[in-house]
């Protein structure tokens, strides 16, 4: 993710050529691949997770509105560490994928990307299942 | 039609059940137990440069550690430094792609990625990226590196 360029570069690993550039609306911080042709990028200054898919075309879905999110992980679900409160919500259009944005309360301590069951001890943060911002955009790589 | 309606009802009921099952633990804040992780050994790497991403090639037992202007390659079993990829500027880390025998070492200051031969641990090429490449991922289906 090109943090100063608000975009991402797709490189063909076999020959090192650039396959294309993906414009991102904001500053990308971290990226994970699902190993099935999709990547998920957290846009740290927009409180969004963007999904990018496809060889020739891509659709992006933004989800999990939150505070700044320093990192994401993809395991059995998508885990996003953020700085404020947490919520769990399905990514729009992906019933099998659960987005769990987990972040601390007002303590400002480092985020956790685990323990989706309750607030982290010592913080005032809680869980907020609502407060989801979603939109679907269509882009081309 | 009747059958279809039943199907929809079933799905909705399962959805509701899922919400209830998932929702239940959230009402009771839980304190996580011990993770079971513990320190096995410490590998001294040295140097004064800062660190960024650390990546691992599991099969090769190699750890790639970003150190500002170079990547240190460490064998995790012996603890020995087995290589160094130099000539980078503000590197965030290296993405190993063992299937292709290549690695992609980000060079934020030059907005490039160095292509590295994983066997020789030497640069074999360079590819231009966007401005200040930072995080990275490899997708096995598209065979693409996203940087």
């Amino acid at each position: 993710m090109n943090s100063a360029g608000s975009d991402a570069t797709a490189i063909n690993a076999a020959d090192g050529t650039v396959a294309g550039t993906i414009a991102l609306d904001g500053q990308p911080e971290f990226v994970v691949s699902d190993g099935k042709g999709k990547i998920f990028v957290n846009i740290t200054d927009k409180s969004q997770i963007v999904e990018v898919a496809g060889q020739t075309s891509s659709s992006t879905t933004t989800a999990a509105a939150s505070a700044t999110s320093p990192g994401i992980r993809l395991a059995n679900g998508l885990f996003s560490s953020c700085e404020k409160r947490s919520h769990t919500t399905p990514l729009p259009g992906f019933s099998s994928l659960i987005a769990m944005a987990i972040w601390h309360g007002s303590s400002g301590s480092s985020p956790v990307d685990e323990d989706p069951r309750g607030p982290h001890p010592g913080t005032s943060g809680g869980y907020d299942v609502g407060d989801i911002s979603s939109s679907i955009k269509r882009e081309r790589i | 039609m009747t059958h279809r309606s039943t199907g929809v009802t079933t799905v909705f009921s399962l959805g509701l059940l899922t919400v209830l099952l998932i929702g239940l633990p959230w009402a009771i804040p839980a304190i996580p137990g011990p993770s079971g992780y513990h320190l096995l050994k410490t590998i001294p790497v040295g140097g004064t440069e800062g660190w960024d991403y650390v990546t691992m090639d599991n099969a090769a037992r190699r750890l790639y550690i970003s150190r500002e202007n170079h990547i240190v390659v460490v064998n995790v079993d012996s603890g020995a430094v087995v290589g160094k990829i130099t000539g980078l500027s503000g590197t965030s880390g290296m993405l190993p792609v063992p299937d292709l025998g290549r690695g992609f070492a980000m060079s934020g200051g030059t907005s490039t990625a160095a292509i590295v031969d994983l066997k020789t641990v030497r640069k074999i090429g360079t590819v231009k990226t966007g401005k200040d490449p930072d995080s990275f991922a490899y997708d096995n289906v598209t065979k693409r590196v996203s940087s």
Side-chain angles (χ1 to χ4, degrees):
Chain A
M1 300 303 101
N2 304 314
S3 58
S6 294
D7 57 19
T9 307
I11 301 166
N12 294 311
D15 59 11
T17 58
V18 174
T21 301
I22 305 151
L24 299 167
D25 185 21
Q27 185 186 347
E29 173 65 25
F30 202 76
V31 57
V32 289
S33 164
D34 70 353
K36 298 173 184 172
K38 290 175 184 167
I39 59 170
F40 295 85
V41 186
N42 64 338
I43 308 299
T44 191
D45 59 349
K46 293 287 173 69
S47 303
Q48 291 176 333
I49 295 171
V50 179
E51 177 203 347
V52 181
Q55 287 269 10
T56 56
S57 67
S58 69
S59 66
T60 63
T61 304
T62 58
S66 68
T68 55
S69 51
I72 50 177
R73 291 286 185 275
L74 194 64
N76 293 321
L78 189 63
F79 296 76
S80 174
S81 56
C82 304
E83 287 179 353
K84 238 179 172 179
R85 295 169 301 171
S86 303
H87 62 223
T88 298
T89 183
L91 275 177
F94 293 87
S95 56
S96 63
L97 201 61
I98 303 295
M100 283 186 262
I102 305 167
W103 64 101
H104 283 201
S106 55
S107 67
S109 54
S110 59
V112 290
D113 59 358
E114 56 197 17
D115 185 19
R117 295 171 298 167
H120 194 266
T123 73
S124 59
Y127 285 91
D128 183 0
V129 183
D131 187 34
I132 179 163
S133 151
S134 65
S135 62
I136 295 176
K137 293 183 278 183
R138 294 276 169 192
E139 296 177 1
R140 289 201 165 269
I141 295 177
Chain B
M1 195 65 181
T2 306
H3 176 74
R4 189 174 173 179
S5 294
T6 306
V8 170
T9 305
T10 306
V11 168
F12 176 75
S13 298
L14 283 174
L16 191 62
L17 183 65
T18 306
V19 168
L20 288 172
L21 287 175
I22 292 174
L24 190 60
W26 293 62
I28 309 160
I31 297 170
S35 69
Y37 287 110
H38 56 281
L39 188 68
L40 286 177
K41 66 177 173 182
T42 301
I43 302 172
V45 177
T48 57
E49 305 88 356
W51 296 46
D52 204 343
Y53 293 125
V54 175
T55 54
M56 175 88 185
D57 181 343
N58 293 332
R61 308 294 296 160
R62 282 178 173 177
L63 201 60
Y64 300 96
I65 305 164
S66 59
R67 303 299 301 274
E68 295 184 4
N69 60 2
H70 65 278
I71 303 277
V72 179
V73 188
V74 172
N75 181 295
V76 292
D77 296 320
S78 66
V81 172
V82 295
K84 201 180 256 193
I85 301 150
T86 57
L88 305 171
S89 171
T91 181
S92 60
M94 189 178 92
L95 172 68
V97 185
D99 291 353
L100 299 173
R102 292 177 170 212
F104 293 80
M106 302 303 141
S107 185
T110 54
S111 294
T112 57
I115 305 171
V116 177
D117 184 310
L118 291 183
K119 268 190 184 160
T120 62
V121 202
R122 287 184 187 280
K123 268 201 293 192
I124 56 172
T126 303
V127 56
K128 190 77 181 163
T129 65
K131 205 172 175 185
D132 193 12
D134 190 3
S135 60
F136 41 78
Y138 177 68
D139 187 274
N140 201 36
V141 171
T142 58
K143 308 283 183 195
R144 282 176 179 169
V145 172
S146 298
S147 74

